[in-house]
Amino acid sequence: MIEVVLNDRLGKKVKVKCNEDDTIGDLKKLVAAQTGTRSEKIRIQKWYNVYKDHITLKDYEIHDGMGLELYYN
């Protein structure tokens, strides 16, 4: 289990516990459950790399305690 921190830059930080073999789509569903927004409206990125839903966290080399950017479409 790893913990990922997502910051939406509007004052909200979300900490989510997930597995490394979970996909970005799974991470979006966990974030949606905590924030109350729909998972289709969430975009996760780091700098200018927008993460695709079908790729795992391990493939993107997302580790424990890593911070990602959270945007609402």
Side-chain angles (χ1 to χ4, degrees):
M1 291 287 280
I2 62 171
E3 185 177 65
V4 181
V5 180
L6 295 110
N7 187 358
D8 69 352
R9 301 191 178 208
L10 298 172
K12 184 182 286 187
K13 278 190 176 179
V14 181
K15 292 184 179 180
V16 178
K17 289 193 181 289
C18 55
N19 294 318
E20 282 190 341
D21 57 349
D22 288 346
T23 62
I24 295 293
D26 297 335
L27 179 62
K28 284 183 180 182
K29 290 176 186 171
L30 293 171
V31 171
Q34 285 193 10
T35 60
T37 60
R38 294 192 330 219
S39 62
E40 302 89 33
K41 295 286 185 182
I42 293 175
R43 186 175 80 230
I44 297 175
Q45 66 184 56
K46 182 75 171 181
W47 288 90
Y48 295 104
N49 296 333
V50 179
Y51 292 151
K52 307 283 187 221
D53 286 354
H54 63 280
I55 300 178
T56 64
L57 302 179
K58 189 186 298 182
D59 291 339
Y60 277 125
E61 297 180 358
I62 296 173
H63 304 295
D64 189 27
M66 190 166 174
L68 301 174
E69 299 165 11
L70 176 65
Y71 294 98
Y72 306 109
N73 290 340

